[in-house]
Amino acid sequence: MVEVMTDKQFKTILEMVGMILDGCQDLAEAKEKVQKLIEDQSDGKKED
């Protein structure tokens, strides 16, 4: 089954990334925070 992302979901994700970037001192810190979110999401989701 293919999951389709709505425009609202996409906008929300971009807004969250923007907030992460605003709260970081440099690119390395921003990358770490985004990677942590990806890992947290992957850990909570079981693949079929």
Side-chain angles (χ1 to χ4, degrees):
M1 183 169 131
V2 176
E3 294 182 32
V4 178
M5 183 184 306
T6 66
D7 289 344
K8 185 176 179 178
Q9 289 170 322
F10 185 67
K11 181 181 178 194
T12 300
I13 290 169
L14 290 178
E15 289 171 347
M16 291 172 62
V17 170
M19 286 188 265
I20 290 170
L21 294 175
D22 285 343
C24 294
Q25 296 293 323
D26 56 27
L27 183 58
E29 182 182 356
K31 286 181 177 182
E32 287 176 21
K33 287 183 178 183
V34 170
Q35 187 60 42
K36 175 83 168 93
L37 288 173
I38 292 169
E39 290 169 1
D40 289 350
Q41 180 65 27
S42 296
D43 290 345
K45 191 177 197 179
K46 300 279 184 194
E47 302 220 6
D48 293 332

